[in-house]
Amino acid sequence: MVEHGDVRVVHKGGSKINFREPALSTDSRFLLCASGESVKVFSTATEECLHALQGHTDLITGVLLRPSNHLQAYSCSLDGTVRLWDFTDGILIRTYSIGYPIYELFQLVAVHLPQCGEQLVEAKELSAVLSNISSNPAASAFGREVRIFRCLEVYFFKNFFLKKDNQKGGKNTFTCITCHPTEDCIASGHEDGKIRLWRNFNHRKEYTYSTLHWHHSAVSSLRFTPEGTNLLSGGVESVLVQWRYNQESQRDFLPRLGGAITHISVSPDGALFCTSHSDNKITIIQSCVKVSAVIQGLVKGDRIRTDLMIEPRSKALVLNGKPGHLQFYSLQRDKLLYNLDIVQQEYIHESGLEQFEVVMAAFDASGSWLATVEERKQKAPELELNLKLWAFDDQKQSFVLNTTISAPHEGRITALCFPHVSDGQTTMLVSTSRDGHFKAWQLAAPGFIKFYLILKGPSWSCDFLGAYHSLVPECCCFSADSSLLAVGFQEVVTVWTPASWELLTTLSQPPGAVRDLCFGRLSCSKYLLGATTSRLLCCWNLLTCSLEWVTSMDVSLLLADPLSENMAAFCFEAGSTDLFVFKPGEPRPLFSHKALCSGRVTHAVFVPREVMLESCDEASQWLNCSHLYFLTQSMDLLTFITKAEEDKLTASSKQLVVSDDVAMTPFHLLLGKHRDQLENPQAESRLSVEPIRQPSSSAGINELLQMPAHVLPSASFLCSMFVQSLLISKEEEMESEKEEEDSDGEMESRISRPEHMPSGESGCAAPALTKEEVRELRRLKKLDHSWMKGLLD
Amino acid sequence: MGEFVVHRVRFFDYMPSAIRAMAFNGSTQRLAVARGDGAVEIFNFADNYFQEKVIPGRSDRAIEALCWVRGRLFSAGLSGEIIEYDLEKLRPRYSVEAYGGPIWTISSNSQETLLGVGCEDGTVKMFEILEERIQFQRNLDRQKGRIISLSWHPSGAQIAAGMIDMIRIFDAETGKSTLKRSSQNRTAPKTHVVVWSVAFLSNDTVISGDSAGKVQIWDAVTGTLIRNHLITKWDVLGLAVSQDESSVIAGTSEGTVVQFQALASTMGQENNQWVRTRTFKNHTHDVRALVHTDTAVVSGGMDTQLVVRPLLDKVEKNTQESALRKILFPHKSLVCCARKAGLLLFQFPDHLELWRLGESRQAGDRLPVMKNPEKLIQLQNKGEDHICCSAVSPCGSWVAFSTVSSVRLYKLQLSNGNISIKKMLLRAFSAFLSFPGSSQPIHLLSASENGNWLAAANTDGQIHVFNLHKLKVSSYLFLHCTLPVYSSCPTAIAIHPTTGHLLSAHADQQIFEFSLKLKEYTAWSRSLQREGLHPLWLQRDTPITHIAFNRNKPAHVFLHDAFMFCIIDQSLPLPQARKKLYNQMDLKTISPQKRMQESHAFKICKMFQHLLSIHLLDDSSLVVVERPLADIVSQLPPPVRQKKFAT
């Protein structure tokens, strides 16, 4: 057994961004939010993640701006440290080690943070401010000046009223609390949707409160604006309510925010609000109650019906997103790409209503086809099923519905599988169902004419219907070269040839129905692996049609890496899940990790890496081609990271510098593109060529933009000049043309060069030569060296 | 306790009248309530909110406002007269015509020397309060449009008047209008805004409540609007200020009462701001009248209930003080029963109804009515005055009632379906009851069954027993004895037919038994005082309004209040204060042995709710007169429409 020495399970990509309240920077330009084990810094204007502050080794449980320095922020984590960051540059300034897992960071950090210059500081002075308060982080807030006093008061209220509630059986339990920034007023949200504004609480007895009631169910978050003029509240209704302080009958609503509001935060200058939503989303709202940006994380419902999949084209992770949608999530950029509406029906937000759900989806190997299954179950016999096939449209860069097959099977579909055809078009899909059949669907040729009806493109229709002794098929799998199809009929695995639909052989290993089937890849493609319900993992050799080996483990998920021979098996053992990575042909597992997480892992995926890793370490070798992502029962997306990789990341994060022009204005788009065009070729040759010449036009444009509008001449006068300045001068153009020619084909350039040479030499030799050299250098730089990489590999 | 055949009477269509105005006298703790039929009721807040006096109304008297001046009660109404009431004889003492058309409001200054009334013709008239009467002093500047509301500055130098679309401030000395504030509705300028209520505070703040649903706070010096609170879509009908001017309550058409408090925005700061705090919803209809006492909010309105809502920050928690009280029914019996003839006499403000009870012959738990109850006579009162009390003799052949001015006696003859009624002439009263040392009105009378004794109680708590036997000899009532005066007012008295004991129940729920023969408290009464009544008994919030006795079982006493009736078995031990006071329904559920242990003198039945009266007939059947609240509510006009969530 290989120990999992330097391979660690981390939250990386697709983690919750709504876990704790985000923090807005003082100038409202940045949004800091805890996301897994890093703090992400988003630009509030462009929704882009600027960088991630990495360094914590466990879940981050709070982010807070440093009150004394608005360019620094604290973060706390379950790993027992509080870290101080310069978030604009992404530099870790200091680490305070507390020694206990920290669940929530207060404004007045309860731990006295010693002011030392050292990088790593041990903080041992713990002062217990509050004990016995609710573990819900929303249920605590600090007020203006006399914080300790105030929070004791709050504590008093809480205790007192919770006691009272129990007697009456009322539903006015506290859910959240906040303090007015300038006045003696505490706002509390309650389970029954009421907001109470407590006043006069400095006198123990004569406190008084007023009640505001708009929410119909529990108020989940409350916040005062920095001036204290408005109170913001949110709840399950996904409506942000803005109450005028002292004019409570006037309120503004921002409805249809899409998901239940979990946190509200307000920027210190009051210009922006931001709300976190239960569907892993942060909405940035301008103070005029207008949505200005939406930062969407990986949407996680309470469960995932489809598997985790990788879209072959964009390498995006695909799974259930919004109801009736598939989401395409880029793990590299940690960003939601888009949602694909599968059901194409209005989703009605009503509990107890049965609606169509996407339950299954599959991509073919080239990513040009997507098959989805949606079902609606009203009553057991009235199952409604739709099989939809989507073709990738190159123009739209999205999937377009090609065929809808209503009621493809009589029972629930258990598996969906495309063959792995590496070249050419996929023309086949296999689906298995509880009705005892498996069906092969074929892409039919176009041109079917029925009087006036001409089918415009190819569409899918049923080609073959297979069954085996009226047993129920549970899973199916194509071999790596797609010459074989294995279908698991309970205890029996049948192997078919898709070319002629002949039953080649049956394999069986009773007792216990086969749950997962998987063909080996590359050198191990002769092996077929199956996991059974009787806690066995079997490996058959298809050449000999015999059992190669069998081992006893309760495999909940069996997975093959598409880029290597490796296979991953998640085994459920004593309440937690273990992971084994192995090659079917080798007796020893490559990697094993005991007690990965509690509960069963039912969804996992191998994500191909963009850049292959060249780790020689035995334990981490299996991670060279792909990442392995898996989803725990608590809907956390976790992955493995090697030590080397981690070191590289932390090293690079310290050098990151935020570019000044984060704001993405239309002008920036215009100028930025222009500048990029100019800069990029130079940037590559930065080291070799003379210092970069600033684009001649940029000074003029800057002048144009910085001049006050009223002193400028009319726009029509400026327009031609402006456009002129954007154009590339003729000489430059010629040069670039030449360069293009050069790069296009060496043959041509060789022919053309002699013609040019004399003219250059006849002029002035020395500068021409250097010019030639420069050109040559540029050409070399521009050349594609990827073929060399291929050779080296 | 025995089993009874119960006549469950629900055909008494008693309908209380809406509350129009209220005034509270803090020094005597008396609340005066004016109802829509012109009746004025006096509640004693120091004595368990007991309704000690009722001045019957008149059909042509519509009271709009009430005002206490040093224990004197003035009212003004749409008839255009100011009336002062005689609280001893329970009738108007005199009335003064204001000659300004209907009067909308009346208010006295804090020095209690002047009475200002606001009239329909736009004048504020000042009356000087003299010892015996009031005298017109002068008019303030006449305005266009009626004066709806008035409020004096505590210094008495200025008076604020709420009108239609504006608030004016008058100088009380010169009578000149000093300031005018337009409170017109800016969003809909066509509609008029009625300033239903104003309050002038000592720090020169004027608070107004208007028909646009707003409570506005104005600076009376500069006339600027300081703060505007929109509290309802409908009208704000009333305002009331606490004594220390730190809290204001506003009543709305939605039936809510909204509290505003002057609070410092931060600790230690001086400038108080008026902040809307609590909302009480105890009414279904308009809240027309409001009073802010030191510890409670008292509100009344169209739904005829008087609600006393204690402010929990001012009273001790979990005491009797902190409980919400609703006063639904009058604290005296409106039903009289002829127990031999089986007749019921119901008293309405302007007529009497005499009913014969229905009959049933079967046995069982629920008896079907074989013979429907039948209304024998409806006796209409002539004249404008309302009936203040009525009685029917046990044999059912005599009916008497009285108004403020007259007493009428009728003789009934019921002979096989034919009813004849004959008005009897009463000679001038030959005998007068006089209570030495007290001029308070007598509110309870009870004669013994044999006609020997007459017990009378007045609102000072004195109970006197007279010997009627000697009345035949001389025309002078002979005072037999006087009971020791108890601090709380008696709510019901009765003389036992066999033992001759006088039983009295008081507003603080105490019960006394007095032996008329020995002229002292009986042993049972002494033991009751020694052991004390059960706390649950003392915590009831409606007084006992009737006491009756069972001839067959002399030890049994029947008592009832609005929510329960109780038979006290004087032969059984008294309940322990620590133990649970079981009522009869609960007793049935526990085991017989335990039931024996738990049995005590107070046998409480809560089967009947909203009880108006309980009588025991001579055939040992019980008559229970109920008036379910739903029946009263169904006769009320529909409340203002309110949007309810998810409808």
Side-chain angles (χ1 to χ4, degrees):
Chain A
M1 291 292 240
V2 181
E3 278 305 309
H4 45 87
D6 54 352
V7 177
R8 208 162 62 81
V9 181
V10 288
H11 291 81
K12 187 164 176 288
S15 45
K16 281 182 191 166
I17 57 173
N18 63 349
F19 180 56
R20 283 293 144 89
E21 185 187 315
L24 281 159
S25 68
T26 315
D27 54 359
S28 301
R29 283 171 69 213
F30 304 110
L31 174 84
L32 279 75
C33 95
S35 160
E37 295 172 7
S38 63
V39 178
K40 283 196 173 170
V41 182
F42 289 94
S43 158
T44 54
T46 61
E47 314 171 9
E48 289 295 327
C49 175
L50 300 175
H51 52 245
L53 310 176
Q54 275 160 340
H56 281 291
T57 52
D58 208 338
L59 210 61
I60 292 179
T61 52
V63 182
L64 198 70
L65 289 186
R66 187 175 176 178
S68 56
N69 185 345
H70 64 90
L71 292 175
Q72 295 178 353
Y74 290 109
S75 68
C76 66
S77 161
L78 289 183
D79 63 3
T81 58
V82 174
R83 287 170 195 242
L84 180 65
W85 305 87
D86 182 335
F87 61 85
T88 48
D89 295 341
I91 296 169
L92 175 67
I93 296 172
R94 204 165 295 157
T95 303
Y96 306 95
S97 135
I98 308 291
Y100 305 99
I102 307 165
Y103 292 98
E104 173 67 13
L105 195 63
F106 290 112
Q107 185 160 2
L108 172 107
V109 184
V111 183
H112 177 69
L113 297 178
Q115 296 291 325
C116 302
E118 293 166 49
Q119 184 68 26
L120 186 72
V121 181
E122 292 263 313
K124 291 287 175 203
E125 292 174 53
L126 291 170
S127 53
V129 178
L130 277 182
S131 56
N132 195 18
I133 63 163
S134 158
S135 59
N136 181 1
S140 46
F142 277 92
R144 205 164 34 84
E145 289 159 8
V146 251
R147 295 194 179 106
I148 306 281
F149 170 65
R150 190 73 58 81
C151 78
L152 283 178
E153 271 313 312
V154 174
Y155 174 54
F156 159 71
F157 280 134
K158 193 181 294 292
N159 253 12
F160 175 69
F161 277 92
L162 287 179
K163 233 188 284 168
K164 191 174 144 195
D165 293 345
N166 293 345
Q167 282 173 0
K168 281 190 178 172
K171 274 180 70 188
N172 48 352
T173 322
F174 281 80
T175 54
C176 51
I177 194 160
T178 184
C179 298
H180 193 276
T182 56
E183 292 183 15
D184 284 355
C185 176
I186 297 175
S188 64
H190 297 259
E191 199 105 300
D192 54 358
K194 285 178 180 158
I195 299 166
R196 296 212 166 109
L197 295 173
W198 302 84
R199 290 191 180 86
N200 217 15
F201 42 78
N202 299 323
H203 310 103
R204 186 147 275 250
K205 189 146 188 315
E206 291 188 349
Y207 62 86
T208 178
Y209 66 86
S210 49
T211 309
L212 313 175
H213 198 175
W214 182 86
H215 296 276
H216 66 73
S217 42
V219 184
S220 56
S221 190
L222 273 177
R223 205 51 85 213
F224 275 107
T225 54
E227 297 298 316
T229 49
N230 291 316
L231 173 66
L232 303 167
S233 68
V236 189
E237 303 87 355
S238 65
V239 179
L240 182 74
V241 188
Q242 187 178 22
W243 310 81
R244 299 260 182 288
Y245 185 67
N246 276 335
Q247 288 280 309
E248 277 84 6
S249 55
Q250 290 180 31
R251 16 172 217 236
D252 291 323
F253 303 104
L254 183 64
R256 292 180 286 278
L257 288 175
I261 295 174
T262 51
H263 306 286
I264 299 173
S265 57
V266 181
S267 70
D269 63 354
L272 291 179
F273 312 143
C274 82
T275 52
S276 305
H277 298 267
S278 59
D279 57 350
N280 207 9
K281 182 171 78 175
I282 295 177
T283 310
I284 296 167
I285 298 162
Q286 287 165 358
S287 55
C288 53
V289 199
K290 209 181 110 208
V291 173
S292 72
V294 175
I295 298 165
Q296 175 75 63
L298 184 68
V299 182
K300 293 170 191 168
D302 41 358
R303 62 176 182 155
I304 284 185
R305 300 286 298 265
T306 64
D307 272 331
L308 300 179
M309 284 162 298
I310 293 298
E311 206 233 330
R313 281 170 193 264
S314 63
K315 305 280 184 286
L317 182 71
V318 179
L319 68 158
N320 279 130
K322 293 197 291 183
H325 287 66
L326 279 183
Q327 59 178 332
F328 289 70
Y329 191 87
S330 165
L331 287 168
Q332 283 82 27
R333 293 165 60 203
D334 204 2
K335 191 174 186 226
L336 185 81
L337 298 178
Y338 61 97
N339 280 309
L340 182 66
D341 189 356
I342 301 294
V343 170
Q344 297 182 337
Q345 278 182 6
E346 187 72 29
Y347 185 78
I348 303 160
H349 288 270
E350 190 183 320
S351 60
L353 202 64
E354 293 280 356
Q355 299 184 70
F356 271 114
E357 269 187 290
V358 184
V359 293
M360 214 156 276
F363 286 97
D364 76 336
S366 61
S368 53
W369 289 99
L370 162 68
T372 60
V373 177
E374 65 206 43
E375 65 173 45
R376 171 163 67 178
K377 197 183 174 193
Q378 281 174 324
K379 281 166 201 156
E382 297 170 19
L383 184 75
E384 282 183 70
L385 276 178
N386 280 329
L387 175 64
K388 282 182 178 166
L389 285 128
W390 308 73
F392 191 79
D393 189 328
D394 284 320
Q395 274 167 356
K396 286 186 186 170
Q397 286 295 309
S398 171
F399 285 91
V400 178
L401 183 63
N402 178 276
T403 310
T404 305
I405 302 158
S406 55
H409 282 276
E410 279 148 35
R412 179 167 287 169
I413 291 179
T414 51
L416 207 59
C417 194
F418 276 107
H420 310 277
V421 187
S422 50
D423 52 333
Q425 277 294 312
T426 313
T427 54
M428 192 189 287
L429 169 71
V430 172
S431 63
T432 61
S433 162
R434 283 200 189 279
D435 61 359
H437 300 297
F438 72 92
K439 283 185 182 175
W441 307 87
Q442 193 79 37
L443 185 68
F448 179 70
I449 300 164
K450 190 180 179 186
F451 300 114
Y452 48 86
L453 185 86
I454 301 165
L455 291 174
K456 283 182 184 158
S459 66
W460 293 75
S461 57
C462 185
D463 179 48
F464 177 73
L465 187 139
Y468 183 79
H469 288 294
S470 68
L471 292 172
V472 176
E474 287 286 347
C475 48
C476 64
C477 183
F478 274 101
S479 66
D481 56 353
S482 302
S483 60
L484 294 174
L485 169 69
V487 182
F489 282 95
Q490 288 171 351
E491 290 98 351
V492 187
V493 178
T494 59
V495 182
W496 307 69
T497 165
S500 56
W501 293 117
E502 264 181 282
L503 178 61
L504 293 179
T505 180
T506 59
L507 310 161
S508 87
Q509 183 66 27
V514 177
R515 206 159 47 187
D516 262 320
L517 273 178
C518 213
F519 276 99
R521 296 291 161 97
L522 303 177
S523 63
C524 300
S525 55
K526 61 186 178 205
Y527 296 109
L528 172 65
L529 283 98
T532 67
T533 50
S534 58
R535 306 165 64 89
L536 287 179
L537 179 66
C538 312
C539 178
W540 289 282
N541 189 336
L542 288 174
L543 298 177
T544 58
C545 287
S546 61
L547 197 66
E548 189 86 3
W549 48 264
V550 64
T551 172
S552 171
M553 50 170 68
D554 187 10
V555 178
S556 61
L557 188 67
L558 192 63
L559 211 64
D561 184 358
L563 297 182
S564 66
E565 297 99 341
N566 299 338
M567 302 195 86
F570 289 91
C571 305
F572 184 69
E573 194 71 50
S576 63
T577 297
D578 307 333
L579 170 71
F580 296 96
V581 181
F582 58 94
K583 284 184 182 169
E586 286 179 26
R588 264 159 49 94
L590 293 170
F591 174 79
S592 70
H593 194 300
K594 289 271 180 196
L596 208 54
C597 61
S598 62
R600 244 172 225 280
V601 171
T602 50
H603 299 289
V605 70
F606 274 107
V607 182
R609 280 180 193 272
E610 280 177 325
V611 185
M612 297 291 170
L613 220 63
E614 279 149 30
S615 164
C616 332
D617 190 9
E618 202 184 354
S620 54
Q621 216 167 15
W622 63 280
L623 284 169
N624 280 358
C625 306
S626 327
H627 295 285
L628 176 60
Y629 280 88
F630 63 95
L631 201 65
T632 62
Q633 241 170 6
S634 54
M635 305 297 291
D636 288 320
L637 191 68
L638 300 175
T639 188
F640 295 90
I641 192 165
T642 60
K643 186 115 184 168
E645 218 177 339
E646 207 173 352
D647 290 344
K648 218 167 81 185
L649 272 173
T650 45
S652 66
S653 73
K654 280 176 185 165
Q655 292 160 2
L656 271 172
V657 177
V658 188
S659 64
D660 281 326
D661 43 7
V662 249
M664 197 72 108
T665 57
F667 258 124
H668 174 264
L669 282 176
L670 185 71
L671 293 172
K673 240 181 228 166
H674 180 63
R675 200 177 291 169
D676 284 352
Q677 279 172 1
L678 289 169
E679 273 180 12
N680 278 351
Q682 291 162 350
E684 284 177 353
S685 55
R686 187 173 288 191
L687 295 169
S688 54
V689 205
E690 78 250 31
I692 318 142
R693 182 172 50 94
Q694 277 292 318
S696 60
S697 53
S698 70
I701 293 169
N702 274 344
E703 204 176 312
L704 191 73
L705 294 176
Q706 283 161 4
M707 283 263 266
H710 61 275
V711 299
L712 279 176
S714 72
S716 57
F717 179 73
L718 280 175
C719 183
S720 58
M721 269 168 59
F722 181 68
V723 172
Q724 275 290 329
S725 73
L726 291 181
L727 289 175
I728 304 159
S729 66
K730 225 168 202 175
E731 204 180 330
E732 261 182 277
E733 201 176 10
M734 273 172 66
E735 269 180 38
S736 60
E737 261 182 352
K738 240 183 274 165
E739 274 169 12
E740 269 170 39
E741 277 172 18
D742 287 357
S743 55
D744 279 351
E746 264 176 286
M747 287 300 284
E748 267 182 344
S749 71
R750 270 178 200 158
I751 297 163
S752 62
R753 201 166 288 161
E755 289 175 12
H756 282 267
M757 285 288 264
S759 65
E761 274 176 321
S762 63
C764 50
L769 259 173
T770 46
K771 216 171 188 182
E772 278 299 312
E773 272 177 10
V774 167
R775 209 177 284 161
E776 190 63 28
L777 271 166
R778 277 189 196 168
R779 196 181 60 78
L780 276 171
K781 267 286 164 189
K782 268 198 141 183
L783 273 180
D784 191 10
H785 293 287
S786 56
W787 54 275
M788 218 133 98
K789 200 181 244 174
L791 265 180
L792 286 170
D793 281 357
Chain B
M1 109 177 190
E3 288 193 342
F4 298 95
V5 177
V6 177
H7 294 272
R8 202 166 180 175
V9 175
R10 287 187 170 181
F11 46 79
F12 179 24
D13 289 328
Y14 168 70
M15 185 64 204
S17 190
I19 293 173
R20 300 298 292 269
M22 289 198 292
F24 186 68
N25 189 342
S27 55
T28 57
Q29 291 285 307
R30 296 295 197 282
L31 178 79
V33 174
R35 294 206 179 249
D37 60 354
V40 175
E41 295 164 4
I42 312 283
F43 290 87
N44 186 355
F45 274 38
D47 190 11
N48 267 10
Y49 308 94
F50 180 60
Q51 183 192 40
E52 55 178 20
K53 290 167 192 171
V54 178
I55 300 165
R58 263 175 80 96
S59 328
D60 58 350
R61 192 191 296 157
I63 298 175
E64 277 294 320
L66 284 172
C67 181
W68 285 99
V69 180
R70 279 190 302 256
R72 292 162 72 180
L73 183 64
F74 294 92
S75 83
L78 298 180
S79 60
E81 289 175 325
I82 304 168
I83 300 168
E84 187 186 348
Y85 293 92
D86 187 340
L87 295 178
E88 288 162 7
K89 298 198 168 67
L90 301 183
R91 63 186 183 197
R93 182 180 281 163
Y94 58 86
S95 70
V96 174
E97 178 67 46
Y99 299 109
I103 299 173
W104 290 96
T105 175
I106 185 168
S107 171
S108 82
N109 61 358
S110 55
Q111 292 77 28
E112 306 195 319
T113 54
L114 285 174
L115 207 58
V117 295
C119 302
E120 174 79 21
D121 65 350
T123 51
V124 178
K125 291 172 191 288
M126 294 294 194
F127 287 83
E128 199 177 345
I129 303 165
L130 303 175
E131 272 308 308
E132 284 301 310
R133 61 200 168 83
I134 56 170
Q135 193 176 40
F136 176 70
Q137 200 194 36
R138 65 199 168 93
N139 280 333
L140 302 186
D141 275 2
R142 183 167 169 176
Q143 306 298 322
K144 211 174 164 186
R146 60 182 69 136
I147 308 282
I148 305 286
S149 48
L150 280 179
S151 177
W152 287 84
H153 190 268
S155 70
Q158 284 180 314
I159 185 165
M163 303 173 63
I164 290 170
D165 285 342
M166 70 176 87
I167 300 164
R168 271 182 188 279
I169 294 167
F170 297 95
D171 192 312
E173 293 291 319
T174 61
K176 295 275 183 287
S177 155
T178 57
L179 204 61
K180 177 185 133 185
R181 254 357 285 169
S182 164
S183 66
Q184 216 165 23
N185 200 347
R186 282 192 198 133
T187 51
K190 290 280 169 61
T191 56
H192 288 292
V193 174
V194 184
V195 181
W196 283 118
S197 186
V198 288
F200 208 149
L201 307 186
S202 53
N203 58 356
D204 282 331
T205 305
V206 173
I207 301 176
S208 70
D210 59 34
S211 64
K214 285 183 283 200
V215 172
Q216 293 177 315
I217 292 137
W218 306 83
D219 187 333
V221 180
T222 59
T224 47
L225 180 66
I226 297 170
R227 186 151 280 182
N228 185 4
H229 290 278
L230 182 72
I231 58 169
T232 172
K233 282 182 185 164
W234 309 94
D235 293 22
V236 177
L237 293 173
L239 286 175
V241 188
S242 67
Q243 196 69 39
D244 58 354
E245 296 187 348
S246 68
S247 164
V248 167
I249 48 172
T252 69
S253 288
E254 285 173 353
T256 52
V257 176
V258 181
Q259 190 188 17
F260 296 87
Q261 279 176 287
L263 298 173
S265 61
T266 49
M267 194 167 67
Q269 256 184 345
E270 279 304 307
N271 56 337
N272 285 356
Q273 290 187 329
W274 285 98
V275 179
R276 176 183 172 166
T277 55
R278 273 165 274 211
T279 303
F280 311 114
K281 175 113 177 69
N282 297 313
H283 295 274
T284 55
H285 289 68
D286 294 11
V287 177
R288 291 293 299 266
L290 277 174
V291 160
H292 197 312
T293 68
D294 287 341
T295 57
V297 170
V298 187
S299 56
M302 287 290 285
D303 59 355
T304 75
Q305 301 177 1
L306 183 69
V307 177
V308 182
R309 164 78 200 224
L311 293 169
L312 290 177
D313 54 342
K314 299 285 189 336
V315 296
E316 279 297 316
K317 283 202 174 56
N318 302 326
T319 59
Q320 210 173 349
E321 274 283 281
S322 68
L324 174 82
R325 272 170 194 269
K326 284 191 175 187
I327 298 169
L328 304 169
F329 297 130
H331 291 167
K332 63 170 189 175
S333 187
L334 297 172
V335 181
C336 198
C337 177
R339 60 174 192 275
K340 284 179 183 139
L343 301 177
L344 284 177
L345 182 74
F346 300 142
Q347 179 191 327
F348 293 90
D350 56 348
H351 68 273
L352 300 174
E353 282 179 11
L354 191 68
W355 289 73
R356 193 204 301 277
L357 288 168
E359 281 175 32
S360 175
R361 283 185 201 85
Q362 287 177 358
D365 271 351
R366 184 164 294 189
L367 308 179
V369 178
M370 305 300 285
K371 192 176 152 195
N372 279 327
E374 144 183 54
K375 180 154 95 174
L376 300 175
I377 302 171
Q378 179 167 337
L379 204 59
Q380 203 74 31
N381 175 34
K382 287 189 183 113
E384 302 285 305
D385 286 326
H386 288 168
I387 296 167
C388 43
C389 51
S390 62
V392 62
S393 67
C395 59
S397 52
W398 297 91
V399 172
F401 72 90
S402 77
T403 64
V404 169
S405 54
S406 62
V407 178
R408 292 206 173 92
L409 179 68
Y410 294 91
K411 184 171 172 61
L412 284 182
Q413 277 182 330
L414 307 164
S415 52
N416 50 35
N418 291 335
I419 305 159
S420 67
I421 182 160
K422 194 176 154 197
K423 186 179 172 186
M424 305 300 289
L425 280 175
L426 283 168
R427 279 188 296 142
F429 274 110
S430 52
F432 292 95
L433 294 176
S434 67
F435 274 35
S438 171
S439 58
Q440 288 298 314
I442 293 165
H443 70 298
L444 293 171
L445 269 183
S446 175
S448 67
E449 208 171 294
N450 53 18
N452 282 345
W453 309 104
L454 177 71
N458 73 359
T459 51
D460 265 351
Q462 298 174 333
I463 302 172
H464 293 251
V465 181
F466 298 94
N467 195 336
L468 290 178
H469 202 60
K470 294 177 179 161
L471 191 66
K472 287 157 192 166
V473 190
S474 71
S475 66
Y476 189 76
L477 266 181
F478 183 77
L479 182 67
H480 174 67
C481 62
T482 301
L483 269 71
V485 176
Y486 183 64
S487 59
S488 182
C489 188
T491 63
I493 51 173
I495 298 169
H496 200 284
T498 52
T499 59
H501 293 164
L502 175 78
L503 215 77
S504 66
H506 294 261
D508 63 350
Q509 314 297 355
Q510 289 290 348
I511 302 164
F512 294 97
E513 195 187 35
F514 189 82
S515 166
L516 295 184
K517 278 180 197 144
L518 304 170
K519 295 186 184 178
E520 62 176 22
Y521 285 127
T522 61
W524 183 80
S525 180
R526 283 167 200 276
S527 70
L528 190 68
Q529 288 306 309
R530 205 180 317 114
E531 292 188 22
L533 281 154
H534 194 276
L536 277 180
W537 176 270
L538 294 174
Q539 277 164 22
R540 292 175 311 117
D541 59 355
T542 49
I544 284 170
T545 50
H546 187 74
I547 299 173
F549 302 98
N550 191 354
R551 277 199 148 275
N552 305 330
K553 289 176 181 161
H556 286 190
V557 182
F558 290 67
L559 310 161
H560 82 88
D561 65 8
F563 297 103
M564 61 107 218
F565 95 91
C566 169
I567 299 176
I568 298 177
D569 192 337
Q570 292 180 327
S571 58
L572 283 174
L574 293 167
Q576 301 285 311
R578 303 182 304 281
K579 281 195 175 172
K580 204 179 155 195
L581 189 72
Y582 281 102
N583 65 28
Q584 293 305 113
M585 293 290 252
D586 291 341
L587 269 181
K588 275 180 190 164
T589 59
I590 61 176
S591 65
Q593 289 160 334
K594 204 168 172 211
R595 203 186 302 170
M596 286 303 288
Q597 291 171 359
E598 294 290 342
S599 70
H600 51 74
F602 286 77
K603 302 192 179 299
I604 293 167
C605 173
K606 291 200 170 173
M607 195 176 174
F608 311 107
Q609 294 282 296
H610 303 295
L611 279 175
L612 284 176
S613 179
I614 282 186
H615 293 273
L616 193 64
L617 296 185
D618 271 3
D619 58 356
S620 288
S621 59
L622 212 58
V623 182
V624 176
V625 183
E626 286 176 298
R627 180 66 179 156
L629 215 54
D631 293 1
I632 293 180
V633 171
S634 70
Q635 290 190 26
L636 291 171
V640 292
R641 226 185 77 78
Q642 284 172 48
K643 171 85 180 82
K644 268 195 174 165
F645 179 67
T647 53

